[in-house]
Amino acid sequence: MVLTLATPISEIELVPSNALRLKDVTGSGYLALLQELGENRSTRLTYSNEIVEIRTPGQLHEVINRLLAAIILTLADSLDLVFNNLGSTTFNRADLTEGIEPDSCFYIQNVDIANSSASKLAVYKALGVPEIGLYSQGNLTVKTLTADGYSDVENSLAFRIVSAAQLNGWLKLGETGTDLTMIQAVRQEINALNET
């Protein structure tokens, strides 16, 4: 079945936490879609194997995204690491027919927050992203790129002194407390680790 849209894609509204999949989209069609949607939007796109997924994050998704971003920025600052917060920038490579907009992206690390993120690992691998933080069903796993794909690791490449268990503990604190309480806990723990 072929569906032709008479409404411009920019006028279609998605309910938060939902996604729209478009099949048989060429690379040039994907780039035209990005241009049509523009940069000032709440949706995020993934393009792989001629399928475009347009998703709109929900409230819980955004809360976790912001908490993880605050943790990463606090860690980078506390550990004196050079970093750039690139937000949910669009990544495309001309030589690949892949593209993705992570929930948050840092020069030192990408973080993708979505229940369906595991299916996007092939896109990150094709783009050569060395480390991914994958949040699913209330748990953050840290994955690093190997020759065979992504593997779970206990400690981040970007923050070697921080374990996935610590990151999950800080996330839980951020979910039950305030952002400030969580940031203070991260700084206090990193300062203690640096003193040893």
Side-chain angles (χ1 to χ4, degrees):
M1 170 195 256
V2 175
L3 173 68
T4 304
L5 295 175
T7 303
I9 194 81
S10 59
E11 293 182 21
I12 295 174
E13 292 185 31
L14 289 175
V15 176
S17 299
N18 284 301
L20 171 68
R21 287 180 156 226
L22 307 172
K23 295 181 179 182
D24 300 322
V25 178
T26 64
S28 59
Y30 164 66
L31 295 174
L33 180 61
L34 281 174
Q35 188 172 12
E36 166 75 21
L37 291 172
E39 291 193 17
N40 296 324
R41 57 187 162 82
S42 62
T43 57
R44 298 202 181 93
L45 277 68
T46 301
Y47 178 62
S48 181
N49 299 317
E50 296 190 341
I51 297 173
V52 173
E53 180 182 279
I54 305 170
R55 59 190 158 91
T56 304
Q59 182 178 359
L60 177 60
H61 181 101
E62 283 300 303
V63 167
I64 297 299
N65 179 28
R66 301 280 188 241
L67 290 173
L68 280 169
I71 289 170
I72 289 170
L73 295 174
T74 303
L75 285 171
D77 180 51
S78 297
L79 297 170
D80 291 325
L81 297 175
V82 175
F83 68 94
N84 287 312
N85 184 347
L86 302 176
S88 59
T89 191
T90 303
F91 287 100
N92 296 310
R93 279 191 33 196
D95 59 330
L96 298 173
T97 56
E98 311 279 346
I100 199 157
E101 295 174 335
D103 297 303
S104 291
C105 176
F106 301 86
Y107 171 70
I108 52 174
Q109 180 173 335
N110 272 291
V111 178
D112 186 19
I113 318 296
N115 291 333
S116 62
S117 288
S119 65
K120 296 179 180 78
L121 292 178
V123 178
Y124 286 121
K125 181 181 177 191
L127 294 171
V129 176
E131 181 174 315
I132 301 292
L134 181 64
Y135 185 85
S136 180
Q137 299 176 349
N139 187 56
L140 177 75
T141 56
V142 178
K143 296 181 175 291
T144 58
L145 184 59
T146 66
D148 298 324
Y150 284 96
S151 298
D152 291 359
V153 294
E154 183 55 33
N155 291 69
S156 165
L157 291 173
F159 308 110
R160 295 189 186 279
I161 64 172
V162 177
S163 70
Q166 286 170 304
L167 291 168
N168 278 298
W170 293 328
L171 276 175
K172 299 266 186 281
L173 180 60
E175 290 173 12
T176 58
T178 65
D179 290 1
L180 180 59
T181 304
M182 181 200 60
I183 289 170
Q184 289 171 336
V186 172
R187 279 205 174 106
Q188 183 177 24
E189 197 161 338
I190 293 304
N191 287 339
L193 287 170
N194 282 336
E195 291 174 1
T196 58

